[in-house]
Amino acid sequence: MQIAVLTGFVLAALAPLLHRLFGERTGLVLALYPAAVVVWLVQFLPAVMEGETFLFTQAWAPGLGLSLSFMLDGLSMLFALMISGIGTLIMIYASGYLHGHPEQARFYVLILTFMSSMLGLVLADSLITLYIFWELTSITSYLLIGFDHNDADARKSALQGLLVTFSGGLALMSGLIMLNIAGGSWSLQELLTDGEALREHALFVPMLLCLLGGAFTKSAQIPFHFWLPNAMAAPTPVSAYLHSATMVKAGIYLMARLHPALGETFLWTAILSIAGASTMFLGMVMAIRFTAIKKVLAYSTIMALGMLTMLLGIGTKEAIIACMTFMLAHSLYKGALFMVAGILDHETGTKDIAEMGGLRRVMPVTAACAGVAALSLGGVIPLLGFIGKEEMFKAVLHAPDFKNFMLVLSLGTSILVVAVAAIVALRPFFGELKPTPETPHEAPLSMLGGPLVLASLSLLLGLMPSLAGQGVLEAAVSAVMGESVSLHLALWHGINAPLLMSAASLIIGLAIYWGWDRVRAALGRLEPLFSHGPEWAYGRLMDGLVWLAETQTRLLQNGYIRSYLVMTLLTFIGLTGYTLLFRYSPDFSFDIDVALHEAGIVLLMCAGAVSACITRSRLAAVVAAGVMGFCISLIFILFSAPDLGITQLLVETLTAILMILVLFRLPRFSRLSTSFERARDFVVAVATGGLITLLLLMATNVSLFPSISGYMIENSQPLGQGLNIVNVILVDIRALDTMGEIFVLALAAIGAFAMLKLRPKELQDG
Amino acid sequence: MVKPGTLILNVAAGLLMPLQLMFALFLLLRGHDEPGGGFIAGLVGAGAFALYQFAHGPAATRRLLHVDTRDLIGWGLFLAILSALPGWALGEPFLTAQFWKVPVIDVKVSTPLVFDIGVFLVVLGSVLTAVITLTELDQAEAERKERREEGRDKTWNR
């Protein structure tokens, strides 16, 4: 299982190479990866449908209880199939959409990384694994929204999406940690078996709120929805894939995953039902305000995410069935519609629906795909979207709580959805052929393949719902319910309340479509309301953050290294001194047993320190400091730590070299500080030195933890096969720490390089 | 600025640098059992190149190195990560050390050694990036100053 997930990362790293090899056909070649994942998943399908769960665990850092673990059950299966299936089509589509684009390689690197991260997210069993993949999808989404990084708007939208989903990610992390504290395990598999313990734990409320914070930001629930329409700055394959079919459903996945353990509590039902229903309705109201096709689609995605959240909130068997069915339907038709939107943009050169018309004659296949997908969106018989909507109405009608509230909103939503479906499917294709910036003609096959397959699936699964119903949907519903559920989806249930509601919304929705221009004008009067929404609040928050950063930087980081030093040392004296003097009783029972040569070295050190302070020549100061360093390394060697001694020696030498290089850049030595400042610095310096001395003296007597050196000495040879214990610790026993350190070192070097070399032109020349 | 090219330094650097580099290699390879190791070796190696640079200037040092110092850092990190994987592939936790013996020549090869080489490269690359960049900046500034003075001279002559 880990191979299926991790291959994508390897391929991502190789993508630039593959692009050099295959050129314009790279997308087609790379589409083999998600296609292979589909095949690989399908072989598990029969067993998963039987209710089996596949587990894979690889110890990562067993000492910390961390492991890389994946699981495959019905819910993971449904998501993984959607990710890899639609992913295959998207890769093919992208090869057409980005034809001739100079930065294709970068696109493939990012989209493959995303694909793997998303697969990892839905297949994760360990909470840590889940969290890491969750954040990886946010990062890749950020890079993909800002793919056109010369466009300031795209960059701004990318950052907005990143900040919103990352703050949610932080909440999620806290939630996951609380989940671990309450449930005593990092494994989802184990946590879900004991929902009772989680629900009754004292941390339940903060835990649920934090987890939902993560899910709501990722899945664009109001009031965190505003980043999603802005994310449409991304290339269309990205919008189709990340921002409608997969990434934005990560929050839905998380809620569905946790439903067996955390669901069916009042708090869960209340938050999810109300937030979901509101998001669903308001998303649709906002959708019909726009004429940019991708914006309209983005808001209708918000509607879908709201509906899924609401259904998970209801939590009955019917609701979960509706949720899974509608999610599949949505992924199919929305993917198709986005790809159609991309085709229209690509072929006509405009993104505005109001500027398109009559394209049916020049682009018949595109028009057909758009029509079928829009019928599914509008919930018209006999498409899968219809079944999804019927199930939704049924679930809402039988909801135990908040029934009337949700019923009104879902009826309103479904009316507006019909209008929107008509807007995207009828407006561009029917009526007079309008002149567009580019002369439209039918899209290439690579771009038509995706919408064709997805639209046909919408139709096929609508006509034969048992194909999906008895297949993966049943397994998914069982996983979300936490018990085995059998499912019977059907197109025709006879004339009942849901059907009448569908019919009513169809008629009213079409009426709204005919009066769309007037509706838009009416909603335009509400503009002040919309412009003071959550996005406005986000803007204010960001301004405040920048102000805070500026103020504290001016205060604390004024560019003078002396004030940094004073600040750091005073903080150290304050905190450590306080702890040392008030928490511990001073106890210096040490015996002076110093050999003559040791005393000599110490005296030499003191002399070095004093002369470094009083000399007026910088070079002499460097040399004097060097004397101290060499003396220290001598002491290391005397106390039989040759490695430390050598290292100290070399560091001193190189520091002297670097210092001399810098010294030449400094102005002539002159005394600028007043006597008061010098006195103050003297006091700070003496206090710091004194405190360190005190600390050392006390540390030799205080032993809070048993020494670990015994373990290291004993195990260095048998476990590490090395006699040099210091080295064995560095490269074997504590290799993870060393790994962290070399990364820090590398970052420091790159930072220094950037500061010296990559300065703005005017500074460099000045 | 630091002026390259005094005779004694040039000769000394030519003689010392190979010795220093060999010493660095020696420290690196014996580090697991005797004092030494990647970090120390990296510092010694950086010292060697720094000496060469003082004698012959940054441009010559870059030519001698063939690779960009920042690439050294990248390769070092790559090797360190690579050394973490064999243990993982064999079903043990990430970073578990693996030891092999090359049969004919009887040499101990291990993932900690690969890791140590990674550390060596990162240290070498980081120090050299700082040293060479600083010197280059110094040189560029001095050249600008010279040019400005030349310009002033010309106007004076006129």
Side-chain angles (χ1 to χ4, degrees):
Chain A
M1 212 176 292
Q2 84 275 34
I3 291 175
V5 174
L6 299 179
T7 310
F9 291 115
V10 178
L11 277 178
L14 295 178
L17 211 68
L18 290 172
H19 182 252
R20 222 171 285 162
L21 224 64
F22 295 103
E24 294 290 332
R25 273 169 309 215
T26 317
L28 302 177
V29 176
L30 289 175
L32 289 175
Y33 161 63
V37 174
V38 173
V39 173
W40 174 78
L41 284 169
V42 164
Q43 61 167 348
F44 288 99
L45 198 53
V48 168
M49 272 153 51
E50 295 290 312
E52 208 171 314
T53 303
F54 292 92
L55 262 180
F56 166 82
T57 304
Q58 163 92 51
W60 188 261
L64 300 171
L66 299 184
S67 59
L68 179 72
S69 54
F70 295 112
M71 73 161 158
L72 181 63
D73 67 349
L75 184 64
S76 309
M77 180 62 110
L78 176 63
F79 272 91
L81 276 176
M82 286 193 321
I83 293 161
S84 48
I86 298 179
T88 312
L89 300 174
I90 288 288
M91 294 303 271
I92 298 171
Y93 180 80
S95 76
Y97 185 85
L98 291 176
H99 190 86
H101 194 287
E103 297 200 55
Q104 277 183 20
R106 188 158 60 90
F107 177 82
Y108 290 124
V109 170
L110 295 175
I111 199 107
L112 278 170
T113 313
F114 168 77
M115 202 179 278
S116 274
S117 315
M118 194 66 212
L119 271 175
L121 166 58
V122 299
L123 291 173
D125 173 52
S126 159
L127 297 180
I128 301 282
T129 313
L130 178 111
Y131 176 72
I132 288 171
F133 283 121
W134 179 283
E135 293 294 50
L136 269 176
T137 60
S138 292
I139 294 169
T140 39
S141 160
Y142 162 72
L143 293 170
L144 282 166
I145 299 172
F147 181 68
D148 184 9
H149 54 72
N150 291 322
D151 178 1
D153 266 350
R155 289 202 306 269
K156 196 170 148 241
S157 306
L159 191 63
Q160 192 183 49
L162 185 77
L163 289 176
V164 173
T165 47
F166 260 22
S167 30
L170 287 179
L172 174 74
M173 183 173 73
S174 333
L176 292 177
I177 291 171
M178 283 189 256
L179 204 57
N180 169 258
I181 293 170
S185 167
W186 287 111
S187 160
L188 271 170
Q189 186 73 13
E190 286 167 26
L191 286 169
L192 295 181
T193 53
D194 196 9
E196 199 68 29
L198 295 178
R199 284 193 292 271
E200 277 163 17
H201 198 273
L203 282 173
F204 175 73
V205 176
M207 171 169 75
L208 183 66
L209 291 179
C210 282
L211 291 170
L212 290 183
F216 277 20
T217 46
K218 195 86 165 176
S219 284
Q221 300 295 304
I222 284 173
F224 309 113
H225 66 283
F226 53 88
W227 70 268
L228 184 58
N230 290 336
M232 294 299 127
T236 305
V238 174
S239 310
Y241 193 42
L242 274 73
H243 304 123
S244 82
T246 56
M247 188 191 93
V248 289
K249 295 215 173 81
I252 303 294
Y253 168 78
L254 183 74
M255 291 188 275
R257 177 53 82 205
L258 296 172
H259 178 259
L262 306 180
E264 283 164 47
T265 49
F266 177 73
L267 196 61
W268 169 283
T269 313
I271 297 179
L272 264 66
S273 308
I274 293 175
S278 318
T279 303
M280 170 176 82
F281 182 67
L282 291 176
M284 237 36 238
V285 173
M286 289 186 272
I288 55 170
R289 290 163 59 221
F290 289 95
T291 57
I293 186 161
K294 282 178 77 181
K295 285 252 168 174
V296 175
L297 290 177
Y299 278 110
S300 83
T301 304
I302 292 179
M303 172 281 290
L305 295 170
M307 186 187 291
L308 294 172
T309 307
M310 176 188 81
L311 289 169
L312 283 169
I314 299 172
T316 56
K317 193 181 109 187
E318 278 172 333
I320 302 299
I321 293 174
C323 179
M324 293 295 127
T325 315
F326 182 73
M327 186 168 62
L328 180 63
H330 175 259
S331 289
L332 295 178
Y333 71 67
K334 192 55 69 65
L337 283 176
F338 262 114
M339 290 195 219
V340 166
I343 293 176
L344 289 177
D345 174 20
H346 203 251
E347 301 298 329
T348 63
T350 174
K351 294 181 165 76
D352 197 325
I353 310 177
E355 290 177 17
M356 301 178 205
L359 292 169
R360 164 177 55 108
R361 263 154 288 174
V362 277
M363 309 165 81
V365 186
T366 311
C369 292
V372 173
L375 286 176
S376 189
L377 164 67
V380 178
I381 207 162
L383 290 129
L384 188 59
F386 171 74
I387 301 177
K389 196 171 66 170
E390 294 285 284
E391 294 291 332
M392 186 268 289
F393 278 141
K394 210 160 64 178
V396 171
L397 280 169
H398 298 161
D401 301 296
F402 311 106
K403 182 180 142 187
N404 295 330
F405 172 71
M406 288 189 291
L407 199 61
V408 172
L409 287 188
S410 45
L411 191 63
T413 304
S414 122
I415 292 169
L416 292 172
V417 165
V418 172
V420 162
I423 289 168
V424 291
L426 300 182
R427 251 306 164 92
F429 296 105
F430 290 86
E432 300 258 311
L433 188 63
K434 289 188 186 171
T436 45
E438 278 170 45
T439 321
H441 45 79
E442 193 57 275
L445 190 64
S446 57
M447 289 178 78
L448 279 176
L452 263 177
V453 172
L454 293 178
S456 323
L457 273 176
S458 295
L459 185 62
L460 184 75
L461 293 180
L463 290 171
M464 286 184 280
S466 56
L467 267 186
Q470 260 91 61
V472 67
L473 283 183
E474 191 176 277
V477 171
S478 305
V480 179
M481 288 306 290
E483 62 195 29
S484 182
V485 174
S486 65
L487 205 97
H488 300 286
L489 291 181
L491 198 55
W492 185 251
H493 286 286
I495 296 177
N496 52 11
L499 188 71
L500 292 177
M501 286 167 77
S502 286
S505 49
L506 194 63
I507 295 164
I508 307 176
L510 283 176
I512 290 182
Y513 168 66
W514 296 126
W516 183 39
D517 294 326
R518 254 169 293 154
V519 172
R520 253 201 349 260
L523 280 172
R525 256 170 267 145
L526 289 176
E527 201 53 51
L529 196 68
F530 287 117
S531 60
H532 283 76
E535 186 167 8
W536 174 80
Y538 164 87
R540 296 307 304 270
L541 192 71
M542 284 298 122
D543 291 346
L545 199 62
V546 170
W547 175 84
L548 185 71
E550 272 178 357
T551 312
Q552 73 95 19
T553 307
R554 237 176 299 144
L555 203 69
L556 298 177
Q557 293 174 294
N558 49 10
Y560 294 110
I561 201 161
R562 52 180 178 275
S563 53
Y564 292 2
L565 265 177
V566 168
M567 208 89 78
T568 314
L569 292 179
L570 282 179
T571 315
F572 165 73
I573 294 171
L575 293 177
T576 315
Y578 172 80
T579 318
L580 195 68
L581 296 178
F582 291 93
R583 294 266 186 89
Y584 298 94
S585 50
D587 170 23
F588 319 110
S589 55
F590 58 94
D591 31 52
I592 303 175
D593 178 22
V594 185
L596 187 63
H597 59 281
E598 288 163 5
I601 294 172
V602 170
L603 276 179
L604 202 58
M605 252 198 279
C606 294
V610 171
S611 50
C613 289
I614 57 174
T615 178
R616 281 168 166 265
S617 146
R618 288 210 181 85
L619 201 60
V622 170
V623 172
V627 168
M628 270 191 289
F630 284 125
C631 288
I632 292 175
S633 57
L634 244 164
I635 286 185
F636 281 143
I637 292 167
L638 284 179
F639 285 88
S640 61
D643 274 278
L644 273 178
I646 301 172
T647 312
Q648 178 76 28
L649 214 64
L650 289 164
V651 168
E652 281 305 326
T653 315
L654 285 169
T655 313
I657 292 177
L658 284 173
M659 290 272 250
I660 287 166
L661 282 177
V662 177
L663 281 187
F664 282 96
R665 307 179 57 76
L666 295 177
R668 195 172 284 282
F669 186 90
S670 54
R671 181 158 288 166
L672 298 170
S673 346
T674 60
S675 309
F676 167 72
E677 282 168 331
R678 288 168 60 79
R680 180 200 63 193
D681 293 350
F682 179 75
V683 170
V684 172
V686 169
T688 311
L691 187 62
I692 292 275
T693 314
L694 210 62
L695 199 63
L696 278 175
L697 287 176
M698 279 170 72
T700 49
N701 286 332
V702 178
S703 156
L704 292 175
F705 306 100
S707 165
I708 53 166
S709 31
Y711 172 85
M712 303 287 189
I713 293 168
E714 262 167 43
N715 289 298
S716 159
Q717 168 67 4
L719 286 182
Q721 301 199 9
L723 295 172
N724 179 358
I725 300 161
V726 176
N727 188 259
V728 172
I729 293 173
L730 279 176
V731 300
D732 194 349
I733 300 178
R734 286 297 176 92
L736 194 65
D737 295 358
T738 312
M739 184 94 94
E741 275 151 25
I742 57 176
F743 270 90
V744 171
L745 186 61
L747 269 180
I750 291 165
F753 179 82
M755 277 205 301
L756 293 171
K757 269 284 175 73
L758 309 177
R759 293 186 298 177
K761 257 274 176 287
E762 64 267 28
L763 259 177
Q764 221 166 32
D765 289 341
Chain B
M1 71 158 258
V2 188
K3 280 210 178 70
T6 62
L7 182 64
I8 298 175
L9 191 61
N10 275 3
V11 174
L15 288 173
L16 281 176
M17 204 193 91
L19 283 177
Q20 276 176 298
L21 284 180
M22 260 159 62
F23 185 56
L25 206 65
F26 168 71
L27 282 175
L28 172 66
L29 292 179
R30 75 171 207 152
H32 213 52
D33 290 322
E34 309 278 337
F39 189 80
I40 296 174
L43 292 177
V44 173
F49 283 106
L51 182 66
Y52 187 85
Q53 189 210 232
F54 283 139
H56 300 282
T61 317
R62 281 201 190 279
R63 269 198 304 280
L64 184 75
L65 270 169
H66 286 293
V67 288
D68 194 307
T69 50
R70 284 167 297 159
D71 288 352
L72 287 178
I73 304 177
W75 281 107
L77 293 179
F78 179 72
L79 278 183
I81 290 180
L82 201 69
S83 80
L85 299 181
W88 189 49
L90 291 170
E92 285 176 86
F94 181 72
L95 266 172
T96 308
Q98 303 297 323
F99 300 91
W100 300 282
K101 242 188 170 102
V102 179
V104 184
I105 44 173
D106 198 36
V107 174
K108 229 167 53 173
V109 182
S110 61
T111 54
L113 182 65
V114 178
F115 187 86
D116 224 7
I117 296 174
V119 173
F120 167 74
L121 288 177
V122 172
V123 173
L124 182 68
S126 300
V127 177
L128 284 183
T129 303
V131 172
I132 296 183
T133 316
L134 270 172
T135 322
E136 276 175 347
L137 211 65
D138 222 33
Q139 237 176 22
E141 207 150 276
E143 271 165 26
R144 258 203 302 279
K145 209 179 276 172
E146 238 162 62
R147 240 180 291 136
R148 232 176 283 152
E149 263 152 32
E150 260 170 39
R152 210 174 292 150
D153 283 350
K154 271 176 204 154
T155 48
W156 185 251
N157 285 340
R158 243 175 249 157

